[in-house]
Amino acid sequence: MDFYLVQFLSGLAQAATLFLVSSGLSIIFGVTRIVNFAHGSFYMLGAYLAWSLVERWGGTVYGFWGGVLLAALLVGALGAVMEVVLLRRLYRSPELFQLLATFGVVLVIQDVAAWAWGPEDLLGRRAPLLRGGVDVMGRPFPLYDLALIVLGAVVLAALLLLFHRTRWGTLVRAATQDREMAAALGVDQAKLFTGVLFLGSALAGLGGALQVPREAVNLHMDMAIVVEAFVVVVVGGMGSLGGAAVASLLIGQLQAFGILVFPQITLVLVFLFMAVVLVLRPYGLLGRKEDAPPSASAAGPPLVTGGRAASLAPLAILLVLALVPLVAGEYALIIITEVIILALVAASLHLLIGLGGLVSFGHAAYFGLGAYGAALLVKHLEAPMPLALAGAPLLAGLGALLAGWFCVRRSGLYFAMLTLAFAQIAWSVAFQWSAVTGGDNGILGVWPPGWASSKAVYYELTLVLAGGAIWLLRRAAFAPFGYTLRAGRDSALRAEAIGIDVRRHQWLAFTLAGTCAGLAGGLYAFSKGSVFPTLMAVPVSVDALVMVLMGGIQTVTGPVVGAVVFQLLETEVMRLTEYWRLILGLIIIALVLAFPDGIVGFARRLWSRGPSSGRADAEESA
C-alpha cells in the first residue's frame, strides 16, 4: 500500500507540471485559436532563465523563488512581444499560418538557447528548505514534489478566481465562448490577445522554471512537453481550464502507474488514452462542440485548370528535370532526389489540408510505414526493389485506411491530435519491436540493385515514380472527387444536404494521401540505404506541414514549391553554420510576414494584377 501511495503522489507531482503548461496552452487557444508550437519553447526558456537566475541568487529562499518568478515573468513578456510583433500581423491570414510562424519561433529559440547556454545538460540547485524528503508510510518522498502538488492547486485556484471574479477574466471567458460577438460588443481584442499570450506564456515559463531542481535542463525539453501539453488540452477539451486540470490528473496517474501495469507500451500509453477518449468523447472530457470549427483553408474561387498552357507546364518541368543528370554531380543528384521525394510527401499532405480542410499532425506515420514496408521486404524476404517499392505504398495505404476510419470522425484540432496519436503508436511499434524492425538501430543495407545503383539512374526512377504520383494527386484535385472534398471542406452541412457522403470522401482522401506518402517512404529508404524510427517522429510531420504552408495551401503546386524551398534552405544553411535553425527560423518568419498566403499564393496575386488579370488564373486555386 505504501508503494502505491508514493506512486500516486508522484503522479500528482507530474500532473502539477502538466497543468501549469497545458493550462497556458488551453487559455491561448481558447481565446486566439492559435495552435502555439512555441509553447514548449517557452517552457524550455523558463527553465534556462530560472537556472541562470537561481545560480546567481538561489542561495536563499527569496533568491530561489524570486528567480523562478522572474523567469516566468520574462517568458510571459516574450510571449506578449511575439503576439504584438508577429502574430498580430497574421490574424487575417489562414489560421495555419500562425502555426507556421510559431514554428519559426521554435527554431529561433532553439538556437538562441544553444548559443547562450551551450548544448550540455545543466543541473540546477535544490530549492532551499525543500531538500530531502518526507516519510510516507515508511517510504521517502521528495519534499519538493510535495510542494509542487500544493503549488499546482494554488495556481488552479488563482486562475479560477482570475477568470470568475475579475473583469478581465470575464472578457477572456466571453472571447473563449464567442470571439466575434465579444469584438462586436466593443472588447479590445488586441489588448486581450496580448494579455492572454502573456499569461499563457508565463504559465509555461513557470512550469519550466519549477523543473530546475527536479531534472537537467536541456535543449530537448521543448518538443517533449509541448506534445504532452497538446494531449492534455485535447483530452480535457479545448479552451476548458477545468478540463485541463482533470486531464492532467488522469495523465499524471497514467504515467505513474502505467509503467507498472503496461511496461511494454509506456511510450505510447498517453496517446492510446487520448485516442480512446476522443472516440468516446469527440470534444474531450469537458469540451463543447463548436458551432463552426475553423477550416484549414479559407474558401477560394472555383478550381480552374488554367488552359492548355498550364496543363503542359508540369510536363515541361519533368522534361527539364530529366535532363539534370547531364549537368549535375552526384551530390547535387542526391539532394534533388531527396527534394523530389519530400515534394511528394508535401503534395500528399496537401490533399488533406488544402482540399479536405483536415490538418494532420501525424503524416510522417505513413511516410515511415512505406519506408519500413520496403525495408522489411528486402531484409526478411529478400524481395527485389520493384516488389519492395510496390509493397511500400500498400502497407502505408492499409495503415491510413485503418487510422483514417477513426480520424475522419473528428474535426479541427481533435482530428489533428488523433492523427498524432496513431503516428505515435506506429513510431512506438517501430521503436520497440526490435526483433522485426531493429528498434532504434533501424534496418540497414536497403540499397538499390546494381542496375539502379547509379545516382543518375535512381534519380530518374524517383522522378518518374514521384512525378507520376504528384500528377495523380493533381488529377484528383480537378476530378469530381477533388471538388467534392472541397465542398465538404467549405460547408459540410450543405454538401451532405445535396447527398454527398463527406466522411466517406474524407476517408478515401486520407487513404490516398497515406498511400502516396508511403511511396515516398519507399523511395527514401532506398535512397538512404537505411530506415530508422525517427522517420515517423513528430518533427518529420511538422516539417511536412511547414512545406505545405510555406508554399501555400490554396494552390495545388504550392506544397511542391514549399518542399523545394524548405529542403534547399535547410540543406544549404546547415552547411554554412551550426546555428542553422536560427537562420531558417528567421527566414520562415520573414516569409510568413511577406507572403501570408504562401509563396505560390503571393506569386499568383502578383500575376493576377498584371496584364493577364482578365484571364483565368494559370495557377489553380484549391
Side-chain angles (χ1 to χ4, degrees), residues 485-579:
L485 274 179
R486 191 173 182 270
R489 181 202 71 186
D490 292 343
S491 180
L493 291 178
R494 291 182 180 179
E496 290 173 353
I498 61 174
I500 295 175
D501 190 338
V502 174
R503 183 175 294 173
R504 182 168 66 89
H505 281 80
Q506 290 176 339
W507 187 21
L508 292 174
F510 196 97
T511 304
L512 177 59
T515 301
C516 291
L519 175 60
L523 292 169
Y524 189 86
F526 281 102
S527 71
K528 295 298 182 181
S530 57
V531 176
F532 297 97
T534 50
L535 292 180
M536 298 183 181
V538 175
V540 178
S541 293
V542 174
D543 285 351
L545 189 59
V546 170
M547 294 172 195
V548 174
L549 298 178
M550 184 179 289
I553 58 177
Q554 294 180 342
T555 59
V556 172
T557 56
V560 176
V561 174
V564 173
V565 173
F566 179 81
Q567 187 61 22
L568 291 180
L569 276 176
E570 185 178 52
T571 302
E572 293 306 313
V573 172
M574 284 179 67
R575 294 173 59 191
L576 297 175
T577 174
E578 61 178 316
Y579 298 114

Side-chain angles (χ1 to χ4, degrees), residues 343-611:
L344 175 55
V345 176
S348 64
L349 180 58
H350 177 263
L351 180 69
L352 292 178
I353 298 178
L355 297 180
L358 303 169
V359 182
S360 173
F361 287 170
H363 203 58
Y366 312 106
F367 179 64
L369 280 175
Y372 270 101
L376 290 172
L377 286 173
V378 170
K379 179 182 178 181
H380 295 290
L381 299 180
E382 298 183 355
M385 186 177 72
L387 180 59
L389 287 177
L394 180 61
L395 178 61
L398 289 175
L401 185 70
L402 175 62
W405 190 87
F406 293 96
C407 293
V408 298
R409 282 159 171 73
R410 303 295 170 257
S411 61
L413 193 58
Y414 297 102
F415 169 88
M417 292 303 295
L418 199 52
T419 63
L420 176 62
F422 281 104
Q424 288 298 102
I425 292 170
W427 170 83
S428 176
V429 171
F431 186 81
Q432 293 186 307
W433 199 5
S434 302
V436 176
T437 64
D440 58 346
N441 294 320
I443 300 175
L444 307 178
V446 189
W447 295 109
W451 64 269
S453 59
S454 166
K455 300 301 180 187
V457 173
Y458 193 76
Y459 165 82
E460 297 289 1
L461 177 65
T462 300
L463 180 62
V464 170
L465 293 178
I470 293 173
W471 176 83
L472 175 65
L473 290 169
R474 185 179 184 277
R475 291 288 295 175
F478 292 106
F481 173 74
Y483 285 98
T484 303
L485 274 179
R486 191 173 182 270
R489 181 202 71 186
D490 292 343
S491 180
L493 291 178
R494 291 182 180 179
E496 290 173 353
I498 61 174
I500 295 175
D501 190 338
V502 174
R503 183 175 294 173
R504 182 168 66 89
H505 281 80
Q506 290 176 339
W507 187 21
L508 292 174
F510 196 97
T511 304
L512 177 59
T515 301
C516 291
L519 175 60
L523 292 169
Y524 189 86
F526 281 102
S527 71
K528 295 298 182 181
S530 57
V531 176
F532 297 97
T534 50
L535 292 180
M536 298 183 181
V538 175
V540 178
S541 293
V542 174
D543 285 351
L545 189 59
V546 170
M547 294 172 195
V548 174
L549 298 178
M550 184 179 289
I553 58 177
Q554 294 180 342
T555 59
V556 172
T557 56
V560 176
V561 174
V564 173
V565 173
F566 179 81
Q567 187 61 22
L568 291 180
L569 276 176
E570 185 178 52
T571 302
E572 293 306 313
V573 172
M574 284 179 67
R575 294 173 59 191
L576 297 175
T577 174
E578 61 178 316
Y579 298 114
W580 60 272
R581 293 182 186 85
L582 172 63
I583 298 175
L584 183 60
L586 291 175
I587 291 174
I588 289 175
I589 292 172
L591 288 175
V592 169
L593 293 175
F595 313 129
D597 49 357
I599 296 173
V600 176
F602 175 76
R604 188 185 62 184
R605 282 195 293 110
L606 286 182
W607 176 264
S608 65
R609 294 173 184 173

Side-chain angles (χ1 to χ4, degrees), residues 43-61:
Y43 169 86
M44 178 185 71
L45 200 56
Y48 272 115
L49 288 172
W51 181 87
S52 297
L53 295 171
V54 168
E55 284 297 306
R56 184 166 184 174
W57 299 318
T60 64
V61 174

Side-chain angles (χ1 to χ4, degrees), residues 22-31 159 163 172 196 199 203 241:
S22 61
S23 61
L25 186 63
S26 183
I27 293 167
I28 290 173
F29 181 85
V31 176
L159 290 175
F163 290 132
V172 170
V196 165
L199 176 60
L203 287 170
L241 183 64

